[in-house]
Amino acid sequence: MTTAPDAGTTEPAHAAEVRVGLDALLDFTAAVFRHHGLPQDRATTAARALVHGDLTGVTSHGLTNLTRLYLKLFADGRCDPAAEPEVLADQGAAVLLDSHKALGLWAASEAVDLAAGRALEYGVGLVTVRGATHLGCAGAHAKRAADRGMICLLVSNCGQQRIIRPPGGRAAMLGTNPLAFATPAGPRPPFVLDMSTTVVPTGRVRGAARAGKDIPEGWLEDAEGRPVTDPDALDRGDGYLKWLGGDPETGAFKGYGLGLLVETLGAMLPGAGLGPEPEAWSGSGSPSGQDDNIGFTVLVIAPAELRRKDEFEAQAAGLFDALTGSPAVREDRPVRYPGWFEGERATEYEKSGVPLSAALYEELRQVAAERGLTAPAALDD
Ligand SMILES: NC(=O)c1ccc[n+]([C@@H]2O[C@H](COP(=O)([O-])OP(=O)(O)OC[C@H]3O[C@@H](n4cnc5c(N)ncnc54)[C@H](O)[C@@H]3O)[C@@H](O)[C@H]2O)c1
């Protein structure tokens, strides 16, 4: 396997690493969700979405968020494991749901499956959701449609969370607003573009803070726009994430524009919480707001309902063949595309076990002990 060191890996490599079999990890994660009140099938789906991060190397949004995010949401009542999403409007090809604080890790996969079902009927399916909670790796959900030969766009805002300032603005107004887009790529791993619309998501800054490492210039800026390399500045409230593109001169308005695309399509459309509110600048202008009442929107297109399936598949294979076969600057770094390395890693880790940092593995053992569950065995034990 050819692995670019930076491809999708969102936390520094740890010296001490533990490998755990994929099935054991999925079973354990589902058991934790089950313990907190999720029905078995939902717990299984949510576990698959969360473990996707570790399985694909997107460690900033994998199991590290179990204790830091999801268990806290349950404890604080900000996520309702027994919630029943409600259909507020159903126009066949377009559906509006109120998630009623259901676990986003489950609800987003469910929304993709619902949109895919509608796409098979109408050629296109749109599911837009209010009242949602954090859905983890957006790409984990979008990939479900690509695995069924369809095209999927998924966008999610961060509720009323305000961390990032508009270019030229003094008050933080928006969240890291992730966007994922997935299509089949023939026999190769699907094309899965899965990204925050900021230079990096918060998880990557916090990962550096946990590892005691400085962050590169270009991730955070201070109130006056000067570079910040101390990752703790983010949670202190004196470091602001930058938009994809960096500064206005280097394309910040493209990242900001994508962030607004996510905010409008993902949250304004379904009527979810929005980051931008007058109160954000009426006080000190400091970052505020929680990522509650998140909105997300899923759009699935079924090419086979519009054109011959075999012709679409041949074209998809040809497109990604042409790209990956094109000449590379460095021989040891062939041309690839988003989703390639994640797909390669998943194939490898399914066989050899999913690598977890020793610290994360210890966290999982504690989660198990506190709940009377069995921790997943390390393969090296
Ligand atoms: N739920 C939320 O609120 C939230 C918010 C922000 C981010 N996220 C998630 O955080 C995760 C990480 O986001 P990120 O912005 O750090 O992603 P990233 O910067 O690691 O990767 C962004 C994209 O670039 C591609 N890429 C990166 N390096 C590559 C290479 N060398 N070759 C080919 N492709 C390459 C990846 O495949 C990916 O599609 C995503 O899963 C995202 O959905 C979630």
Side-chain angles (χ1 to χ4, degrees):
M1 172 176 120
T2 318
T3 305
D6 56 345
T9 304
T10 52
E11 210 159 301
H14 292 265
E17 194 177 90
V18 177
R19 288 207 176 230
V20 177
L22 175 60
D23 287 344
L25 206 50
L26 288 170
D27 288 349
F28 167 73
T29 310
V32 174
F33 289 141
R34 184 88 194 83
H35 179 88
H36 284 271
L38 254 83
Q40 181 63 50
D41 56 336
R42 297 183 187 188
T44 302
T45 303
R48 171 61 65 181
L50 184 57
V51 171
H52 171 94
D54 304 280
L55 182 65
T56 58
V58 188
T59 51
S60 62
H61 286 70
L63 281 160
T64 192
N65 277 345
L66 184 63
T67 55
R68 289 176 184 79
L69 178 55
Y70 300 107
L71 295 182
K72 283 188 180 158
L73 288 181
F74 290 135
D76 296 345
R78 291 172 56 206
C79 174
D80 177 2
E84 282 305 331
E86 181 187 358
V87 178
L88 299 179
D90 188 343
Q91 300 294 345
V95 179
L96 169 66
L97 299 177
D98 188 331
S99 195
H100 290 307
K101 299 196 289 186
L103 181 63
L105 289 168
W106 162 73
S109 282
E110 186 79 358
V112 168
D113 292 355
L114 175 59
R118 298 302 172 97
L120 289 176
E121 216 173 322
Y122 302 101
V124 63
L126 180 135
V127 176
T128 186
V129 183
R130 66 170 72 153
T133 65
H134 196 278
L135 51 75
C137 291
H141 310 287
K143 182 177 173 293
R144 292 170 79 89
D147 288 342
R148 294 171 62 185
M150 293 183 243
I151 296 171
C152 181
L153 173 70
L154 189 161
V155 295
S156 169
N157 90 331
C158 298
Q160 283 116 330
Q161 190 179 55
R162 292 180 281 273
I163 308 178
I164 304 105
R165 311 180 304 177
R170 200 162 268 291
M173 301 294 280
L174 291 154
T176 53
N177 288 11
L179 174 161
F181 183 79
T183 74
R188 304 178 185 286
F191 164 48
V192 183
L193 175 65
D194 182 17
M195 48 176 252
S196 62
T197 45
T198 45
V199 170
V200 286
T202 53
R204 203 135 152 203
V205 179
R206 292 185 179 125
R210 281 198 296 281
K213 303 222 162 140
D214 276 353
I215 51 171
E217 281 191 14
W219 287 15
L220 292 184
E221 61 183 6
D222 70 10
E224 304 308 321
R226 290 176 296 240
V228 170
T229 56
D230 171 8
D232 290 317
L234 177 71
D235 285 329
R236 278 200 312 266
D238 53 15
Y240 300 89
L241 276 169
K242 298 185 74 158
W243 292 105
L244 199 59
D247 295 317
E249 300 73 30
T250 52
F253 277 95
K254 299 184 200 179
Y256 172 50
L258 285 174
L260 283 177
L261 181 157
V262 173
E263 192 76 12
T264 51
L265 180 61
M268 194 173 77
L269 174 65
L274 301 176
E277 278 184 5
E279 73 187 44
W281 71 80
S282 57
S284 65
S286 62
S288 59
Q290 277 194 312
D291 52 347
D292 290 323
N293 194 7
I294 287 172
F296 68 85
T297 294
V298 175
L299 175 68
V300 177
I301 303 163
E305 304 307 310
L306 300 170
R307 57 182 292 205
R308 276 183 51 172
K309 185 168 179 279
D310 57 341
E311 284 181 4
F312 171 77
E313 285 171 355
Q315 212 173 8
L319 189 162
F320 291 97
D321 272 356
L323 277 175
T324 54
S326 67
V329 174
R330 277 178 46 177
E331 233 175 76
D332 61 338
R333 293 230 176 165
V335 175
R336 297 298 181 233
Y337 55 85
W340 170 281
F341 292 107
E342 290 84 350
E344 289 270 285
R345 284 198 195 96
T347 304
E348 185 197 332
Y349 296 164
E350 270 172 34
K351 288 188 209 130
S352 62
V354 181
L356 305 175
S357 72
L360 176 56
Y361 183 65
E362 191 45 42
E363 259 174 45
L364 300 184
R365 283 165 58 98
Q366 267 180 33
V367 167
E370 285 161 11
R371 289 161 182 79
L373 301 170
T374 308
L379 289 180
D380 309 330
D381 273 0

